[in-house]
Amino acid sequence: MSADQLVFWIFAPIAVAGAIGMLLSRNAVHAALFLVVNLFCIAVMYLLLEAPFLFAVQIIVYAGAIMVLFLFVIMLLGVDRGDDLREPLIGQRPLAVILAAAFVVEIAVAVRAGIGFATMAPEGFDAVNRDGNARALARVLFREYFLPFEVTSLLLIVAAVAAMVLAHRRARAVTQAELERLGLLEPPREEAPSP
Amino acid sequence: MRTPIAWFVMLSGILFALGSLGVLIRRNALLIFMSVELQLNAVNLALVAFARMHNALDGQVLAFFSMVVAAAEVVVGLAIIVAVYRRRQTVDVDDARELRW
């Protein structure tokens, strides 16, 4: 077994275990941390697939930014009670498990028919990745995919504006009487009687 | 040095199945959202694996775009969850099944 395959067999079970841990944990914070474990393992898979740029992006964007955002919202909402375990639909959960297992079997059959379990990654990726993966990726991104890249910036602006609009709390109008009651405002003083 | 591509595709399929299982059985909106993230990541892994198989970088570019879309989606989704929580004091999706307040 080569070094690559050894790394795969170390990190693939950890990735699956992280996903299962996320499914089963009652506490939302624990689930988020399990998901971080899973995302790190997927980042290692990118390294095995000779995509070091995506490895870095995965760790910075997913494990860093997105999961911090998740944890921030979990803390903000104070979600510390677990899900209640009543089943609103009888038999929904066993059915979901069966369907997920069927999906895995389906993928296995499709992979076996399509590429076969023994097909190795072909040689010659070094030529594709010449001058380094980041530079090669930039060459593709800024030539063939330039228009989608620009549209992406529009998407990010729309998302930022949408977040502000959705999460903005409108301030209630405060009347002058309330301010006076709180003592924040001097009551209007009467005109001094002129002698 | 070399690993069969099918292993990565199988891992991706298993992670996708676990993610969809999470969407189906959990009822906390935040956990459903995390499961969707898991599904997106599984698909990204398959894209990168196929890019390696075809000796081309297009799959990696597509995975990169999908990460950007995922980031935008997380921002909007979490804002919606926060807005629903403000109005109803809950993140359980069963409590928010009416479309009005």
Side-chain angles (χ1 to χ4, degrees), chain B residues 40-91:
Chain B
L40 282 168
N41 264 283
V43 174
N44 277 352
L45 180 58
L47 283 174
V48 177
F50 285 128
R52 177 77 184 82
M53 188 176 125
H54 291 289
N55 267 353
L57 283 173
D58 303 66
Q60 291 190 18
V61 173
L62 201 51
F64 184 63
F65 280 129
S66 129
M67 281 181 189
V68 176
V69 173
E73 171 240 339
V74 163
V75 168
V76 177
L78 286 178
I80 290 174
I81 290 177
V82 169
V84 169
Y85 182 82
R86 283 219 184 111
R87 199 169 272 282
R88 304 174 155 269
Q89 308 298 314
T90 179
V91 287

Side-chain angles (χ1 to χ4, degrees), chain A residues 19-97:
Chain A
I20 293 176
M22 186 199 80
L23 274 185
L24 297 182
S25 59
R26 304 282 302 276
N27 188 324
V29 177
H30 295 173
L33 295 179
F34 273 121
L35 188 56
V36 171
V37 171
N38 183 336
L39 296 179
F40 267 107
C41 293
I42 293 181
V44 174
M45 296 298 156
Y46 289 162
L47 216 48
L48 285 182
L49 288 166
E50 298 180 47
F53 179 71
L54 283 183
F55 162 81
V57 169
Q58 170 89 358
I59 288 181
I60 294 170
V61 173
Y62 262 110
I66 291 186
M67 290 322 290
V68 167
L69 198 61
F70 260 107
L71 284 173
F72 190 75
V73 170
I74 292 171
M75 303 295 180
L76 186 72
L77 302 187
V79 187
D80 45 4
R81 61 209 154 97
D83 273 4
D84 60 345
L85 295 172
R86 284 177 294 112
E87 259 189 291
L89 285 173
I90 308 296
Q92 189 216 0
R93 282 179 192 163
L95 200 60
V97 174

